[in-house]
Structures are given as structure tokens and as C-alpha cells.
């Protein structure tokens, strides 16, 4: 018994002494996975900041959803898989928004040359009779041109203007498919007696337009440096169209057979 007790003491006491001298090293050696998990948890806890979530939610709800998806993915599927899920969701969301560009109707801020989207917050903004100013944003390509065009046609059919001005300041580039659709739209508008103007073309878009058939159709007379110049010309064009319509109506009144 004495020999057995001495052997146990010889094996046990050095381990106890080792644990007391360096407990972290001993735990890491005996339980490597548990130690690694504790290190990961300790480092990731500092990354969870509820205040940041609250701030993101106050500014942009979409990015709050991305953050929550990333958090849920990490908790349920692990760090790497959770981050990959968040990246995939973010990319899909960006593609969704890129393929659905907004379309705005612009009006002039009273007493200025600033044009901004029509809004109930600015009831005093001015719109020129017979002139419809539209603006879309982002690169125009095969995937989003049709949606942007449908929105524009709805606004055009509702307003029934004499002149349509497309503000291109927020369009960095136009792909060939979108350019072809814009050319077809100009032909359709022209056949309906509506004049199309382009304003504030970016350098790349202007260069493309000058080499395309649409640029030759419009000429410099219907491409303007800014919206203000286009509106001034469109106002005169709209007044000329209205005057011509009145003259035609008067002629028909005098001679019903005309």
C-alpha cells in the first residue's frame, strides 16, 4: 500500500504543481478544442455591439437586415459559413436594387435653378406646363432598362406632355441594349408628336451618344449641358406646339371638312 500510495503521489503531485504554476497551459494541453472555443468566443464577443445595431437600424434598415443575417449565420452555422451567407445575401440584394432603378419626376425649386424630385414636402416646386422632366439613376443595361422604361412610359402616358426631358446626370453609362430601347422610345414619342431632350450627359455617355444613331437623330439641338437649358428650350417648344394646336383647332372650326 505504501508503494502504491507513493506511486500515486509521484504521478499526481507534479500535475498539481504544474496546474498551479501555469493553469492556462495545462488546460490547453488537456482540452485543446474547449480552449480554442473559449478563445473564439472571447474574441467574438467584443464584435457584438448592440449600440451599433441600433445605429444601423436608424440609418439604413437594409444593412441592419444584413447584420442580423450575419449574426444568425455565425451562431447557427459557424463563423466562416455565417459570413459567407451574409456576403451572398448582400450581393443578391445589391443585384436586386441595381436591376430596379428608381425613376423620378423633377420640378424646379421655387426661385432657383435647382431641380429635385416631386414630393409632398415641397408643394411650391414649379413644373412647366407641357414639359415632363424625368430622372433615373445608375448604369442602364439589359437587365434594368425595361423596368426603367416601363416606369417612364407610365409617367408619360399620365402627364401627356409635349416635351420629355431625360436628366442623365446620374447615368454613368448606357449599354447597347438600353441605348437601342431609348432609340425606339424616341421614335415612338416622335410619332406621337412628343419631343425628347437629353440633359446633363456624362462624358462617357455623351461620347457614346455622339457615335450612336440616336445622337445623330437628336443632334446638338436636343442634347443640353444641364436641365435648366433643356427646360428653357422645352418651354418654348411646348408653347409652339400649343400655338400650333390652337391654330389647327381654329382652322377646323372655320372649315369642318378640313
Amino acid at each position: 500500500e505504501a508503494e502504491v500510495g507513493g506511486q500515486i503521489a509521484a504521478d499526481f503531485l507534479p500535475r498539481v504543481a504544474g496546474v498551479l504554476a501555469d493553469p492556462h497551459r495545462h488546460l490547453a494541453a488537456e482540452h485543446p478544442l474547449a480552449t480554442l472555443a473559449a478563445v473564439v468566443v472571447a474574441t467574438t464577443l467584443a464584435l457584438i455591439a448592440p449600440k451599433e445595431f441600433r445605429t444601423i437600424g436608424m440609418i439604413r434598415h437594409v444593412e441592419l437586415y444584413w447584420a442580423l443575417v450575419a449574426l444568425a449565420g455565425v451562431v447557427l452555422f459557424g463563423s466562416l459559413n455565417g459570413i459567407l451567407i451574409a456576403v451572398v445575401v448582400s450581393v443578391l440584394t445589391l443585384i436586386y436594387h441595381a436591376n430596379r432603378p428608381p425613376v423620378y419626376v423633377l420640378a424646379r425649386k421655387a426661385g432657383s435653378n435647382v431641380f429635385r424630385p416631386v414630393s409632398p414636402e415641397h408643394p411650391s416646386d414649379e413644373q412647366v406646363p407641357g414639359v415632363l422632366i424625368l430622372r433615373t439613376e445608375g448604369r442602364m443595361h439589359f437587365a434594368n432598362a425595361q423596368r426603367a422604361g416601363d416606369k417612364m412610359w407610365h409617367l408619360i402616358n399620365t402627364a401627356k406632355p409635349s416635351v420629355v426631358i431625360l436628366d442623365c446626370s446620374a447615368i454613368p453609362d448606357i449599354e447597347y441594349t438600353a441605348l437601342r430601347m431609348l432609340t425606339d422610345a424616341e421614335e415612338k414619342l416622335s410619332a406621337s408628336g412628343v419631343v425628347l431632350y437629353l440633359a446633363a450627359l456624362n462624358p462617357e455617355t455623351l461620347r457614346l451618344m455622339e457615335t450612336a444613331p440616336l445622337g445623330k437623330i437628336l443632334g446638338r439641338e436636343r442634347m443640353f449641358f444641364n436641365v435648366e437649358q433643356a427646360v428653357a428650350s422645352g418651354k418654348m417648344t411646348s408653347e409652339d406646339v400649343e400655338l400650333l394646336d390652337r391654330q389647327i383647332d381654329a382652322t377646323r372650326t372655320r372649315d369642318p371638312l378640313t
Side-chain angles (χ1 to χ4, degrees):
E1 292 180 356
E3 291 180 0
V4 173
Q7 185 64 35
I8 292 175
D11 293 338
F12 182 70
L13 290 177
R15 293 193 179 191
V16 173
V19 171
L20 294 176
D22 193 354
H24 300 292
R25 181 179 179 182
H26 175 76
L27 291 175
E30 295 292 331
H31 308 283
L33 294 179
T35 304
L36 178 61
V39 172
V40 172
V41 170
T43 54
T44 55
L45 281 176
L47 300 177
I48 301 177
K51 291 183 179 179
E52 288 294 328
F53 279 77
R54 192 179 302 112
T55 303
I56 294 173
M58 293 173 59
I59 299 173
R60 279 181 60 84
H61 295 294
V62 173
E63 294 184 23
L64 174 61
Y65 299 150
W66 293 350
L68 293 176
V69 168
L71 176 61
V74 169
V75 172
L76 297 176
F77 303 104
S79 301
L80 181 58
N81 291 333
I83 293 174
L84 288 177
I85 291 172
V87 170
V88 171
V89 171
S90 302
V91 171
L92 291 177
T93 304
L94 292 174
I95 293 174
Y96 176 86
H97 288 291
N99 291 337
R100 287 163 175 77
V103 176
Y104 308 105
V105 176
L106 302 186
R108 187 200 303 269
K109 181 181 178 181
S112 72
N113 60 351
V114 175
F115 292 86
R116 59 189 178 186
V118 172
S119 170
E121 299 177 358
H122 311 294
S124 61
D125 286 0
E126 305 167 348
Q127 290 183 276
V128 179
V131 178
L132 179 64
I133 312 171
L134 301 176
R135 174 193 290 166
T136 186
E137 298 174 349
R139 190 181 303 275
M140 293 292 105
H141 49 78
F142 70 95
N144 64 8
Q146 185 64 52
R147 291 188 178 90
D150 291 342
K151 293 178 182 179
M152 291 183 183
W153 278 117
H154 174 72
L155 295 170
I156 292 170
N157 293 331
T158 301
K160 301 186 183 305
S162 302
V163 177
V164 174
I165 299 174
L166 180 58
D167 178 7
C168 303
S169 59
I171 303 176
D173 190 21
I174 300 180
E175 192 188 62
Y176 175 78
T177 304
L179 182 59
R180 179 66 180 269
M181 293 179 65
L182 184 58
T183 305
D184 294 340
E186 194 281 333
E187 293 179 0
K188 185 176 179 180
L189 288 171
S190 180
S192 302
V194 181
V195 181
L196 174 66
Y197 290 166
L198 302 182
L201 290 159
N202 287 296
E204 181 64 23
T205 309
L206 177 60
R207 184 195 64 77
L208 177 67
M209 200 66 64
E210 288 175 340
T211 59
L214 180 58
K216 296 178 175 61
I217 294 173
L218 298 177
R220 286 290 183 176
E221 296 78 14
R222 288 198 277 163
M223 291 190 290
F224 298 86
F225 288 107
N226 52 52
V227 175
E228 185 178 13
Q229 292 180 354
V231 168
S233 179
K235 183 178 180 181
M236 291 187 294
T237 301
S238 178
E239 292 173 350
D240 292 341
V241 171
E242 291 179 0
L243 178 59
L244 180 60
D245 289 340
R246 288 197 296 269
Q247 291 174 348
I248 293 175
D249 291 339
T251 302
R252 288 176 177 174
T253 302
R254 291 194 302 269
D255 186 1
L257 298 179
T258 303

